[in-house]
Amino acid sequence: MDESWIINHLGEDHDSPHAPVAPPLVRSNNFSFPTVAAMREAVQIEFDAPFYTRGHNPTVALLREKLAALEHAEDALVFSSGAGAMTAAVMAFLRAGDHVVCIDKPYSWTRKLLVDLLARFGVEHTFVDATDPGAYRSACRANTKLFLLESPNSLTFEVTDLAAVAAIAREKGALTICDNSHSGPLYQHPIVLGIDLTMHTASKFINGHGDVVAGVIAGRKEHVRRIMANEFMTLGAVVSPADAWLMLRSLRTLPLRMERSAGSAERIAPYLAEHPKVKEVYWPFLPQHPQVELARRQMRRCTGLLSIRVKAPDEAAVERFCDRLERFRMAVSWGGYESLVFPVCALKGPSGYYTDLPWDLVRLYIGLDDPEALLRDLDQALAAI
Ligand SMILES: *Cc1c(COP(=O)(O)O)cnc(C)c1O
């Protein structure tokens, strides 16, 4: 099954009279039955057919089918946020006394899940250098049950050797979950590399229009079933059918949107690397990136999320650069049509999440704008430093 078949045809009605080209949005939260016998039968397959929308909804089911196929997974679940997806998946496989090995710069709320929430329930963790497979092995204990990965991660873009780390986890009897948001479901397939479960924030590339918050978990049927029958249903962070419908629409253009972002990054990242006002560029496909070989081996392409360190004498100069940008809107998040700038210095402070990052680090997201216009904008703003 090729990707465009999955996106445009899989699971869709081609044959009924007036088959709609846009799939129907079934908003109903409930489904009824003509007889007790029919209801009794339906409850047996509650998660596979319409019964109650928290568990199964036809619009959400179509999205699940397509996302699972894109990820080379047997099944997928869609949540009301990426954080909800991660929390449900992680909790499904842990109990008090277990230990988690996690990359040392995960997404901020993944870190909080380990440090604050799970620690309260007696789950321990060790953060390791994401780039060193040996570090995962040394961090393992007798009670290690889970490896929590994210490759590349989303501020400094360190790359984890997913096949090597998946092999270590298997040997140690630990499950692997990889946050695959950076590459989206098209440019990297952790499951093919041996990872058990992939997670996405669909708020980024998958929806891609800045108007939905959602998340995805994909993997083998037995794992997805386990999450569904427990944490998915009890924590209840499920997506609304209306948002699932918007994502089905967004999927139609996912390859085009990702190609545009990646193509523009291929032009802009090398340009920034040569710019006299830029100290460093973090983008794994740059020839001078220390992990470029690994990145090119396990990722099909590298999209337009990158960070730079600017050659600024002080924080005020970083602010001048960011404030001067006209085509990049200042905001967190990424993966939409809009190009964005996120200066780490804006979020340093009480939360403490970014204390281990340099103050002159600025993340850029190259959206669907004209890349030449973005280059001119970067050029004039860098001159303000
Ligand atoms: C945004 C993000 C998340 C969280 O997703 P939400 O949909 O905002 O809950 C998780 N991981 C990464 C890498 C992200 O960028």
Side-chain angles (χ1 to χ4, degrees), residues 71-91:
E71 278 288 350
H72 300 256
E74 289 172 5
D75 200 357
L77 290 170
V78 187
F79 295 76
S80 58
S81 71
M86 186 56 109
T87 301
V90 164
M91 291 189 76

PDB file of all heavy atoms in Angstrom, residues 71-91:
ATOM      1  N   GLU A  71       2.013   4.518   9.504  1.00  0.00           N
ATOM      2  CA  GLU A  71       3.092   4.220  10.459  1.00  0.00           C
ATOM      3  C   GLU A  71       3.600   2.789  10.348  1.00  0.00           C
ATOM      4  O   GLU A  71       4.451   2.384  11.132  1.00  0.00           O
ATOM      5  CB  GLU A  71       2.594   4.463  11.897  1.00  0.00           C
ATOM      6  CG  GLU A  71       2.633   5.908  12.348  1.00  0.00           C
ATOM      7  CD  GLU A  71       4.053   6.410  12.590  1.00  0.00           C
ATOM      8  OE1 GLU A  71       5.007   5.612  12.592  1.00  0.00           O
ATOM      9  OE2 GLU A  71       4.202   7.621  12.770  1.00  0.00           O
ATOM     10  N   HIS A  72       3.059   1.995   9.410  1.00  0.00           N
ATOM     11  CA  HIS A  72       3.404   0.570   9.298  1.00  0.00           C
ATOM     12  C   HIS A  72       3.050  -0.154  10.600  1.00  0.00           C
ATOM     13  O   HIS A  72       3.772  -1.045  11.045  1.00  0.00           O
ATOM     14  CB  HIS A  72       4.886   0.373   8.966  1.00  0.00           C
ATOM     15  CG  HIS A  72       5.293   1.006   7.663  1.00  0.00           C
ATOM     16  ND1 HIS A  72       5.505   0.287   6.512  1.00  0.00           N
ATOM     17  CD2 HIS A  72       5.491   2.300   7.329  1.00  0.00           C
ATOM     18  CE1 HIS A  72       5.827   1.113   5.528  1.00  0.00           C
ATOM     19  NE2 HIS A  72       5.831   2.327   6.006  1.00  0.00           N
ATOM     20  N   ALA A  73       1.961   0.269  11.216  1.00  0.00           N
ATOM     21  CA  ALA A  73       1.516  -0.319  12.484  1.00  0.00           C
ATOM     22  C   ALA A  73       0.234  -1.114  12.247  1.00  0.00           C
ATOM     23  O   ALA A  73      -0.436  -0.944  11.231  1.00  0.00           O
ATOM     24  CB  ALA A  73       1.258   0.787  13.500  1.00  0.00           C
ATOM     25  N   GLU A  74      -0.105  -1.983  13.207  1.00  0.00           N
ATOM     26  CA  GLU A  74      -1.337  -2.769  13.061  1.00  0.00           C
ATOM     27  C   GLU A  74      -2.572  -1.967  13.468  1.00  0.00           C
ATOM     28  O   GLU A  74      -3.674  -2.211  13.002  1.00  0.00           O
ATOM     29  CB  GLU A  74      -1.252  -4.029  13.930  1.00  0.00           C
ATOM     30  CG  GLU A  74      -0.255  -5.045  13.402  1.00  0.00           C
ATOM     31  CD  GLU A  74      -0.031  -6.210  14.366  1.00  0.00           C
ATOM     32  OE1 GLU A  74      -0.718  -6.295  15.413  1.00  0.00           O
ATOM     33  OE2 GLU A  74       0.855  -7.027  14.070  1.00  0.00           O
ATOM     34  N   ASP A  75      -2.375  -1.034  14.394  1.00  0.00           N
ATOM     35  CA  ASP A  75      -3.530  -0.268  14.869  1.00  0.00           C
ATOM     36  C   ASP A  75      -3.027   1.064  15.433  1.00  0.00           C
ATOM     37  O   ASP A  75      -1.831   1.217  15.717  1.00  0.00           O
ATOM     38  CB  ASP A  75      -4.269  -1.061  15.973  1.00  0.00           C
ATOM     39  CG  ASP A  75      -5.719  -0.582  16.168  1.00  0.00           C
ATOM     40  OD1 ASP A  75      -6.133   0.393  15.504  1.00  0.00           O
ATOM     41  OD2 ASP A  75      -6.424  -1.195  16.992  1.00  0.00           O
ATOM     42  N   ALA A  76      -3.934   2.009  15.556  1.00  0.00           N
ATOM     43  CA  ALA A  76      -3.581   3.313  16.109  1.00  0.00           C
ATOM     44  C   ALA A  76      -4.757   3.836  16.921  1.00  0.00           C
ATOM     45  O   ALA A  76      -5.897   3.426  16.716  1.00  0.00           O
ATOM     46  CB  ALA A  76      -3.245   4.293  14.980  1.00  0.00           C
ATOM     47  N   LEU A  77      -4.458   4.729  17.852  1.00  0.00           N
ATOM     48  CA  LEU A  77      -5.490   5.408  18.631  1.00  0.00           C
ATOM     49  C   LEU A  77      -5.291   6.907  18.474  1.00  0.00           C
ATOM     50  O   LEU A  77      -4.146   7.369  18.376  1.00  0.00           O
ATOM     51  CB  LEU A  77      -5.377   5.056  20.120  1.00  0.00           C
ATOM     52  CG  LEU A  77      -5.747   3.633  20.514  1.00  0.00           C
ATOM     53  CD1 LEU A  77      -5.348   3.374  21.975  1.00  0.00           C
ATOM     54  CD2 LEU A  77      -7.247   3.409  20.329  1.00  0.00           C
ATOM     55  N   VAL A  78      -6.386   7.660  18.469  1.00  0.00           N
ATOM     56  CA  VAL A  78      -6.268   9.109  18.361  1.00  0.00           C
ATOM     57  C   VAL A  78      -6.798   9.742  19.643  1.00  0.00           C
ATOM     58  O   VAL A  78      -7.880   9.374  20.128  1.00  0.00           O
ATOM     59  CB  VAL A  78      -7.017   9.648  17.128  1.00  0.00           C
ATOM     60  CG1 VAL A  78      -6.720  11.134  16.947  1.00  0.00           C
ATOM     61  CG2 VAL A  78      -6.606   8.880  15.873  1.00  0.00           C
ATOM     62  N   PHE A  79      -6.023  10.637  20.196  1.00  0.00           N
ATOM     63  CA  PHE A  79      -6.313  11.274  21.485  1.00  0.00           C
ATOM     64  C   PHE A  79      -6.604  12.759  21.295  1.00  0.00           C
ATOM     65  O   PHE A  79      -6.360  13.311  20.227  1.00  0.00           O
ATOM     66  CB  PHE A  79      -5.114  11.117  22.426  1.00  0.00           C
ATOM     67  CG  PHE A  79      -4.818   9.691  22.822  1.00  0.00           C
ATOM     68  CD1 PHE A  79      -4.196   8.821  21.941  1.00  0.00           C
ATOM     69  CD2 PHE A  79      -5.163   9.215  24.076  1.00  0.00           C
ATOM     70  CE1 PHE A  79      -3.912   7.502  22.303  1.00  0.00           C
ATOM     71  CE2 PHE A  79      -4.889   7.909  24.454  1.00  0.00           C
ATOM     72  CZ  PHE A  79      -4.266   7.048  23.564  1.00  0.00           C
ATOM     73  N   SER A  80      -7.041  13.399  22.372  1.00  0.00           N
ATOM     74  CA  SER A  80      -7.346  14.825  22.293  1.00  0.00           C
ATOM     75  C   SER A  80      -6.106  15.696  22.406  1.00  0.00           C
ATOM     76  O   SER A  80      -6.200  16.916  22.283  1.00  0.00           O
ATOM     77  CB  SER A  80      -8.356  15.214  23.374  1.00  0.00           C
ATOM     78  OG  SER A  80      -7.831  14.879  24.644  1.00  0.00           O
ATOM     79  N   SER A  81      -4.931  15.100  22.631  1.00  0.00           N
ATOM     80  CA  SER A  81      -3.673  15.852  22.563  1.00  0.00           C
ATOM     81  C   SER A  81      -2.515  14.861  22.472  1.00  0.00           C
ATOM     82  O   SER A  81      -2.666  13.683  22.821  1.00  0.00           O
ATOM     83  CB  SER A  81      -3.476  16.755  23.791  1.00  0.00           C
ATOM     84  OG  SER A  81      -3.208  15.981  24.937  1.00  0.00           O
ATOM     85  N   GLY A  82      -1.368  15.356  22.048  1.00  0.00           N
ATOM     86  CA  GLY A  82      -0.166  14.522  22.050  1.00  0.00           C
ATOM     87  C   GLY A  82       0.209  14.134  23.467  1.00  0.00           C
ATOM     88  O   GLY A  82       0.618  12.997  23.735  1.00  0.00           O
ATOM     89  N   ALA A  83       0.071  15.073  24.388  1.00  0.00           N
ATOM     90  CA  ALA A  83       0.399  14.784  25.787  1.00  0.00           C
ATOM     91  C   ALA A  83      -0.520  13.686  26.332  1.00  0.00           C
ATOM     92  O   ALA A  83      -0.072  12.796  27.061  1.00  0.00           O
ATOM     93  CB  ALA A  83       0.288  16.056  26.624  1.00  0.00           C
ATOM     94  N   GLY A  84      -1.791  13.731  25.964  1.00  0.00           N
ATOM     95  CA  GLY A  84      -2.742  12.696  26.393  1.00  0.00           C
ATOM     96  C   GLY A  84      -2.354  11.336  25.839  1.00  0.00           C
ATOM     97  O   GLY A  84      -2.449  10.309  26.540  1.00  0.00           O
ATOM     98  N   ALA A  85      -1.898  11.317  24.585  1.00  0.00           N
ATOM     99  CA  ALA A  85      -1.476  10.058  23.960  1.00  0.00           C
ATOM    100  C   ALA A  85      -0.268   9.488  24.696  1.00  0.00           C
ATOM    101  O   ALA A  85      -0.222   8.299  25.031  1.00  0.00           O
ATOM    102  CB  ALA A  85      -1.133  10.294  22.484  1.00  0.00           C
ATOM    103  N   MET A  86       0.706  10.348  24.963  1.00  0.00           N
ATOM    104  CA  MET A  86       1.928   9.896  25.634  1.00  0.00           C
ATOM    105  C   MET A  86       1.610   9.379  27.037  1.00  0.00           C
ATOM    106  O   MET A  86       2.071   8.309  27.441  1.00  0.00           O
ATOM    107  CB  MET A  86       2.928  11.056  25.676  1.00  0.00           C
ATOM    108  CG  MET A  86       4.284  10.673  26.206  1.00  0.00           C
ATOM    109  SD  MET A  86       5.039   9.305  25.288  1.00  0.00           S
ATOM    110  CE  MET A  86       6.346  10.150  24.435  1.00  0.00           C
ATOM    111  N   THR A  87       0.826  10.131  27.785  1.00  0.00           N
ATOM    112  CA  THR A  87       0.505   9.741  29.163  1.00  0.00           C
ATOM    113  C   THR A  87      -0.217   8.397  29.201  1.00  0.00           C
ATOM    114  O   THR A  87       0.123   7.510  29.995  1.00  0.00           O
ATOM    115  CB  THR A  87      -0.343  10.831  29.848  1.00  0.00           C
ATOM    116  OG1 THR A  87       0.417  12.046  29.836  1.00  0.00           O
ATOM    117  CG2 THR A  87      -0.681  10.464  31.276  1.00  0.00           C
ATOM    118  N   ALA A  88      -1.199   8.222  28.326  1.00  0.00           N
ATOM    119  CA  ALA A  88      -1.954   6.963  28.317  1.00  0.00           C
ATOM    120  C   ALA A  88      -1.045   5.790  27.961  1.00  0.00           C
ATOM    121  O   ALA A  88      -1.088   4.735  28.612  1.00  0.00           O
ATOM    122  CB  ALA A  88      -3.113   7.059  27.326  1.00  0.00           C
ATOM    123  N   ALA A  89      -0.188   5.977  26.952  1.00  0.00           N
ATOM    124  CA  ALA A  89       0.671   4.871  26.505  1.00  0.00           C
ATOM    125  C   ALA A  89       1.685   4.500  27.577  1.00  0.00           C
ATOM    126  O   ALA A  89       1.916   3.321  27.847  1.00  0.00           O
ATOM    127  CB  ALA A  89       1.385   5.252  25.206  1.00  0.00           C
ATOM    128  N   VAL A  90       2.280   5.517  28.197  1.00  0.00           N
ATOM    129  CA  VAL A  90       3.301   5.252  29.204  1.00  0.00           C
ATOM    130  C   VAL A  90       2.673   4.570  30.420  1.00  0.00           C
ATOM    131  O   VAL A  90       3.177   3.568  30.935  1.00  0.00           O
ATOM    132  CB  VAL A  90       4.013   6.574  29.585  1.00  0.00           C
ATOM    133  CG1 VAL A  90       4.796   6.424  30.866  1.00  0.00           C
ATOM    134  CG2 VAL A  90       4.936   7.020  28.447  1.00  0.00           C
ATOM    135  N   MET A  91       1.524   5.078  30.863  1.00  0.00           N
ATOM    136  CA  MET A  91       0.905   4.516  32.069  1.00  0.00           C
ATOM    137  C   MET A  91       0.423   3.091  31.850  1.00  0.00           C
ATOM    138  O   MET A  91       0.382   2.285  32.781  1.00  0.00           O
ATOM    139  CB  MET A  91      -0.229   5.419  32.552  1.00  0.00           C
ATOM    140  CG  MET A  91       0.317   6.742  33.087  1.00  0.00           C
ATOM    141  SD  MET A  91      -0.907   7.759  33.921  1.00  0.00           S
ATOM    142  CE  MET A  91      -1.044   6.896  35.482  1.00  0.00           C
TER     143      MET A  91
END
